Amino acid sequence: MDNAHANLGTKRREILKGMLAMSTSLMGLSVLHPVYSADDMVVKGPRVPDVKPTQVSAHCSVIIAKDPEPTPENQGMFSNMGIIITQKGVVVFDTGGSVQIGEMLIRQIKKMTDKPVVKVFNSHFHGDHWLGNHAFVQEWPNVEIYAHENMHKAMKEGVGQFWVDLQARATNNATAGTVVTPPNQVLKGDEVFDMGDTLLRVHYYGKCHTDADICLEVTADKTVYAGDILMAGRVDNMDDGSFIGSIEGIKKLKDDTQAANYVQGHFKFGPKQADIYLAFLEAIYNNVVAFQKEGVSPTDVKPKVIAKMKQYRDWKGFDAVIGRYIALAYTEAEATSF
Ligand SMILES: [Zn+2]
C-alpha cells in the first residue's frame, strides 16, 4: 500500500470513528462508501478497574493514578483526574488517557452525585490528560470541553493521533477504541465561571510545562488543580516546557491563589506542592547558572548539578529525566546570559 493510500485509509477510519463517537446520523456514512476490512474494525480494549476518588476539600476530589508511566498493567492510567461537584453541575479537570479511563471516571462520578457533568477542562495537550474526552462526549453530547487556545492549535497539528498511538503502543492496545475528541471551547486565561456555590478561575502563565497549561482555582475551597505545572515527587518530560517560565508561573500561581491545596497532574496533592516543586526547579536552574559563571564546561555541569540534587533522588523518574532537565536549564540559562 502506498503512502497516500495508507493516509487516506487512516483518515477515513478517523472520520468514521469520529462520526460513530459523536452519534452523528448514520445517513452521512453512505456518502463515504465505507468498506470495512479487518483493519477498519474498531476493537475496544477492556474496561479499567474502578479507582475510588480521594476527597481534597468540600467540593473537590481527585482520582489518583498510582503509576508514573503507561504500562499494559495500568492500561495507560498514569495521570490524575479532578472532580468538582458544584450547585450547577459537575466539573471535571482532566479526563485520563483513554476512552476506558474516561468511562471509569464517569462511573465514579455517578456514585457521588446524580448531577450531570457540565464542564470539562483539559490541563494541556499531553494525551494522558484528555484522551478520556471521548467518554464524556458519548455520555453527555453537549458537554463543554475547555482548553487553552494553544492546545487547540496543537490539536490541529496532529498531537491527538500521536498520543492515541503512543498510549496504544505502551499498553499493548488496552486503550484501543479511543477516538481523538478535541476540546470545543477556547480559553485564553483569566476566565471566571460562576457555578453557584463557587467560582472557577482559570489561570494561564505562558510557557511552563507546555505553552498550553491552564490551572483551575476552586475559590470556595482554596483548591487549585495545577495540571503538570507542579510535579513534586514525580518528574517527567520538560521537553515542551521552560524552566524560567515554570519558575515565574508557579510564583504567580502562588500569589494569585494562596491555595490551601494544590492538586498535581500526577502523584500527590497537598498544601506544599507548589513550594516543593519551585524549590526543585530553582535548585537545578540556580546551580546551572552558578557553574556557567564559574566557567565549568557544559559536559561537567551535568554531574556537578546532579551531585547537588541528592535530596530529590527518590522522586519517581528522577534518574531517567534529570539529565534532560539540566540540559534544558543549561540552554535557557545560556540564552538569557547573552
Ligand atoms: Zn504533561
Side-chain angles (χ1 to χ4, degrees), residues 124 126 128-129 209-210 228 231 237 266:
H124 62 296
H126 291 154
D128 48 317
H129 298 269
H209 171 70
T210 67
D228 285 359
M231 282 206 181
N237 192 355
H266 301 266

PDB file of all heavy atoms in Angstrom, residues 124 126 128-129 209-210 228 231 237 266, ligand 1:
ATOM      1  N   HIS A 124      -3.685  20.474  29.538  1.00  0.00           N
ATOM      2  CA  HIS A 124      -2.759  20.749  28.441  1.00  0.00           C
ATOM      3  C   HIS A 124      -2.866  19.613  27.433  1.00  0.00           C
ATOM      4  O   HIS A 124      -3.671  18.700  27.609  1.00  0.00           O
ATOM      5  CB  HIS A 124      -1.326  20.940  28.932  1.00  0.00           C
ATOM      6  CG  HIS A 124      -0.721  19.743  29.606  1.00  0.00           C
ATOM      7  ND1 HIS A 124      -1.214  19.222  30.780  1.00  0.00           N
ATOM      8  CD2 HIS A 124       0.330  18.950  29.281  1.00  0.00           C
ATOM      9  CE1 HIS A 124      -0.483  18.173  31.140  1.00  0.00           C
ATOM     10  NE2 HIS A 124       0.453  17.982  30.236  1.00  0.00           N
ATOM     11  N   HIS A 126      -0.911  17.066  26.407  1.00  0.00           N
ATOM     12  CA  HIS A 126      -0.380  15.704  26.550  1.00  0.00           C
ATOM     13  C   HIS A 126      -1.552  14.737  26.772  1.00  0.00           C
ATOM     14  O   HIS A 126      -2.377  14.942  27.661  1.00  0.00           O
ATOM     15  CB  HIS A 126       0.627  15.633  27.706  1.00  0.00           C
ATOM     16  CG  HIS A 126       1.903  16.387  27.412  1.00  0.00           C
ATOM     17  ND1 HIS A 126       2.710  16.911  28.396  1.00  0.00           N
ATOM     18  CD2 HIS A 126       2.495  16.695  26.228  1.00  0.00           C
ATOM     19  CE1 HIS A 126       3.761  17.517  27.826  1.00  0.00           C
ATOM     20  NE2 HIS A 126       3.644  17.389  26.513  1.00  0.00           N
ATOM     21  N   ASP A 128      -2.295  11.875  28.010  1.00  0.00           N
ATOM     22  CA  ASP A 128      -2.702  11.190  29.239  1.00  0.00           C
ATOM     23  C   ASP A 128      -3.712  12.023  30.020  1.00  0.00           C
ATOM     24  O   ASP A 128      -4.370  11.512  30.921  1.00  0.00           O
ATOM     25  CB  ASP A 128      -1.478  10.868  30.111  1.00  0.00           C
ATOM     26  CG  ASP A 128      -0.522  12.030  30.300  1.00  0.00           C
ATOM     27  OD1 ASP A 128      -0.236  12.733  29.314  1.00  0.00           O
ATOM     28  OD2 ASP A 128      -0.051  12.235  31.441  1.00  0.00           O
ATOM     29  N   HIS A 129      -3.864  13.306  29.673  1.00  0.00           N
ATOM     30  CA  HIS A 129      -4.751  14.199  30.423  1.00  0.00           C
ATOM     31  C   HIS A 129      -6.101  14.441  29.750  1.00  0.00           C
ATOM     32  O   HIS A 129      -6.981  15.036  30.356  1.00  0.00           O
ATOM     33  CB  HIS A 129      -4.063  15.548  30.654  1.00  0.00           C
ATOM     34  CG  HIS A 129      -2.817  15.430  31.482  1.00  0.00           C
ATOM     35  ND1 HIS A 129      -2.816  15.552  32.855  1.00  0.00           N
ATOM     36  CD2 HIS A 129      -1.539  15.137  31.137  1.00  0.00           C
ATOM     37  CE1 HIS A 129      -1.584  15.376  33.312  1.00  0.00           C
ATOM     38  NE2 HIS A 129      -0.786  15.112  32.293  1.00  0.00           N
ATOM     39  N   HIS A 209       5.050  24.023  31.723  1.00  0.00           N
ATOM     40  CA  HIS A 209       5.276  22.620  31.342  1.00  0.00           C
ATOM     41  C   HIS A 209       5.116  22.457  29.829  1.00  0.00           C
ATOM     42  O   HIS A 209       5.806  21.668  29.190  1.00  0.00           O
ATOM     43  CB  HIS A 209       4.287  21.751  32.122  1.00  0.00           C
ATOM     44  CG  HIS A 209       4.230  20.323  31.718  1.00  0.00           C
ATOM     45  ND1 HIS A 209       5.240  19.438  31.963  1.00  0.00           N
ATOM     46  CD2 HIS A 209       3.272  19.605  31.068  1.00  0.00           C
ATOM     47  CE1 HIS A 209       4.909  18.243  31.496  1.00  0.00           C
ATOM     48  NE2 HIS A 209       3.721  18.322  30.933  1.00  0.00           N
ATOM     49  N   THR A 210       4.143  23.194  29.273  1.00  0.00           N
ATOM     50  CA  THR A 210       3.965  23.355  27.821  1.00  0.00           C
ATOM     51  C   THR A 210       3.546  24.815  27.612  1.00  0.00           C
ATOM     52  O   THR A 210       3.494  25.575  28.580  1.00  0.00           O
ATOM     53  CB  THR A 210       2.843  22.442  27.264  1.00  0.00           C
ATOM     54  OG1 THR A 210       1.584  22.879  27.797  1.00  0.00           O
ATOM     55  CG2 THR A 210       3.063  20.979  27.617  1.00  0.00           C
ATOM     56  N   ASP A 228       0.227  19.791  35.091  1.00  0.00           N
ATOM     57  CA  ASP A 228       1.639  19.392  35.173  1.00  0.00           C
ATOM     58  C   ASP A 228       2.588  20.554  35.442  1.00  0.00           C
ATOM     59  O   ASP A 228       3.809  20.384  35.389  1.00  0.00           O
ATOM     60  CB  ASP A 228       2.049  18.664  33.884  1.00  0.00           C
ATOM     61  CG  ASP A 228       1.497  17.248  33.840  1.00  0.00           C
ATOM     62  OD1 ASP A 228       0.817  16.851  34.811  1.00  0.00           O
ATOM     63  OD2 ASP A 228       1.747  16.543  32.841  1.00  0.00           O
ATOM     64  N   MET A 231       4.976  19.178  39.729  1.00  0.00           N
ATOM     65  CA  MET A 231       5.327  17.755  39.632  1.00  0.00           C
ATOM     66  C   MET A 231       6.199  17.325  40.794  1.00  0.00           C
ATOM     67  O   MET A 231       7.171  16.590  40.595  1.00  0.00           O
ATOM     68  CB  MET A 231       6.089  17.492  38.339  1.00  0.00           C
ATOM     69  CG  MET A 231       5.233  17.408  37.110  1.00  0.00           C
ATOM     70  SD  MET A 231       6.083  16.396  35.881  1.00  0.00           S
ATOM     71  CE  MET A 231       4.930  16.469  34.543  1.00  0.00           C
ATOM     72  N   ASN A 237       9.378  14.632  31.500  1.00  0.00           N
ATOM     73  CA  ASN A 237       9.087  15.396  30.300  1.00  0.00           C
ATOM     74  C   ASN A 237       8.936  16.908  30.471  1.00  0.00           C
ATOM     75  O   ASN A 237       7.838  17.424  30.532  1.00  0.00           O
ATOM     76  CB  ASN A 237       7.796  14.824  29.666  1.00  0.00           C
ATOM     77  CG  ASN A 237       7.583  15.354  28.261  1.00  0.00           C
ATOM     78  OD1 ASN A 237       8.323  16.205  27.784  1.00  0.00           O
ATOM     79  ND2 ASN A 237       6.563  14.837  27.602  1.00  0.00           N
ATOM     80  N   HIS A 266       0.003  14.639  38.314  1.00  0.00           N
ATOM     81  CA  HIS A 266       0.465  13.284  38.631  1.00  0.00           C
ATOM     82  C   HIS A 266       0.778  13.218  40.127  1.00  0.00           C
ATOM     83  O   HIS A 266       1.112  14.226  40.749  1.00  0.00           O
ATOM     84  CB  HIS A 266       1.740  12.947  37.845  1.00  0.00           C
ATOM     85  CG  HIS A 266       1.568  13.020  36.359  1.00  0.00           C
ATOM     86  ND1 HIS A 266       1.250  11.928  35.584  1.00  0.00           N
ATOM     87  CD2 HIS A 266       1.648  14.063  35.507  1.00  0.00           C
ATOM     88  CE1 HIS A 266       1.162  12.296  34.322  1.00  0.00           C
ATOM     89  NE2 HIS A 266       1.398  13.584  34.237  1.00  0.00           N
TER      90      HIS A 266
HETATM   91 ZN    ZN B   1       2.189  16.636  30.602  1.00  0.00          ZN
END
